[in-house]
Amino acid sequence: MEIVPAPTRDAAVALTAKLIESRLRDKPNLVLGLATGRTMEEVYARLVASGVSFARCTTFNLDEYVGLPPEDPNSYAAYMRHHLFDHVDIDPARINLPDGMADDLSVAAADYERRIAGAGGIDLQLLGIGEAGHIGFNEPLSALRSRTRDKILTPVTRAQNAGMFGGDPDAVPKRALTMGVETILESRELVLLASGRAKASVVAKAVEGPLTARISASAIQLHTHCKVILDDEAASDLEGLAYYREVCRNEEKWDPYRSLL
């Protein structure tokens, strides 16, 4: 795992977008795992502006609310269309999201796992981190060997996501279909992006604290090809921050991105 402190939110977003763009240019048929959230909107805007082709890319989103049809403006399907898919040359047949409207969610979850396997696995998975410490919607006490399944959302998560539902946490669906922790860890590369002071404490617990099901994001410590990209505020509680900065200053692989660090 690599901790990559950026000086500002804009620099952290730009670095994340440039890494994804680089992977797409190196491997046009990349299998890309996608995330949602306000910070990701900025990443997608930069990818759109870059002009990189998605024509041969296959995508899998981390999660989808249960009970929201794809046409609902608050669904993650609608989010992805609005912020990325409608603005790039991706083949709609290569877009995959969990089916939160399925009559049998366990069948839909198993089908999602089969689709990921059928695509050859995920090359690069983009992640955020929730204030409850989750990746995807793997809420506290999610098994670290969990697969795609439906989960009940915590009050913390529903409050965090209320902004997209008119500010009303009660309007946020109570359940979501999400990739499991082990599903995420099977991706060949992980990039977790976090910004803002509100994420500082949980980021520190996830990357420097013990491995625990109480904070599913702590499972990324097990991944051998994982980058955690943080702005100055999200990195502010890290005990090893000075060292992480020193590593980035001295690693030649970061030379192409030096202006952002």
Side-chain angles (χ1 to χ4, degrees):
M1 182 173 63
E2 298 176 81
I3 312 300
V4 186
T8 65
R9 176 189 176 105
D10 190 61
V13 167
L15 177 57
T16 302
K18 284 183 176 296
L19 285 173
I20 296 171
E21 179 188 348
S22 174
R23 301 297 185 268
L24 280 165
R25 295 194 188 280
D26 290 344
K27 185 179 181 181
N29 63 339
L30 191 77
V31 180
L32 179 60
L34 298 173
T36 55
R38 288 190 175 89
T39 310
M40 302 306 169
E41 295 173 16
E42 300 171 45
V43 173
Y44 297 145
R46 285 181 174 273
L47 286 172
V48 170
S50 76
V52 67
S53 177
F54 283 77
R56 295 172 58 196
C57 178
T58 299
T59 65
F60 288 90
N61 264 72
L62 281 169
D63 40 41
E64 180 60 282
Y65 290 115
V66 170
L68 290 189
E71 300 77 21
D72 189 296
N74 290 317
S75 70
Y76 287 145
Y79 171 103
M80 292 306 308
R81 289 194 303 271
H82 179 71
H83 292 290
L84 183 64
F85 297 151
D86 285 352
H87 310 286
V88 295
D89 59 347
I90 193 166
D91 179 353
R94 293 180 176 270
I95 295 170
N96 298 274
L97 288 98
D99 184 4
M101 292 296 292
D103 292 333
D104 189 324
L105 294 174
S106 62
V107 170
D111 176 67
Y112 206 59
E113 291 280 341
R114 282 192 294 270
R115 279 191 275 162
I116 293 171
I122 294 171
D123 292 310
L124 170 63
Q125 177 65 60
L126 178 62
L127 298 170
I129 182 171
E131 291 178 14
H134 58 266
I135 47 176
F137 274 130
N138 290 286
E139 300 285 38
L141 300 185
S142 289
L144 300 185
R145 299 193 65 180
S146 55
R147 312 298 303 192
T148 302
R149 72 227 183 277
D150 66 298
K151 287 291 292 180
I152 295 176
L153 305 183
T154 65
V156 171
T157 296
R158 294 176 73 207
Q160 184 182 345
N161 292 2
M164 292 184 166
F165 293 82
D168 180 9
D170 291 334
V172 180
K174 294 181 179 180
R175 305 182 75 92
L177 201 59
T178 182
M179 282 188 202
V181 178
E182 188 166 48
T183 310
I184 293 168
L185 291 181
E186 287 177 354
S187 304
R188 284 178 276 279
E189 181 177 9
L190 302 179
V191 175
L192 187 151
L193 170 64
S195 66
R197 188 67 186 86
K199 297 292 180 71
S201 176
V202 75
V203 163
K205 291 174 183 175
V207 303
E208 293 183 332
L211 184 68
T212 171
R214 292 185 63 186
I215 297 176
S216 66
S218 67
I220 65 174
Q221 295 177 30
L222 298 170
H223 204 283
T224 56
H225 199 186
C226 173
K227 296 174 181 61
V228 179
I229 300 176
L230 308 169
D231 71 0
D232 56 338
E233 291 186 339
S236 59
D237 283 359
L238 294 174
E239 292 182 5
L241 182 56
Y243 172 67
Y244 307 143
R245 286 177 172 151
E246 186 69 13
V247 170
C248 289
R249 278 194 291 266
N250 288 280
E251 287 278 9
E252 291 184 3
K253 66 182 176 182
W254 291 113
D255 286 349
Y257 310 100
R258 190 65 58 200
S259 64
L260 298 172
L261 299 173

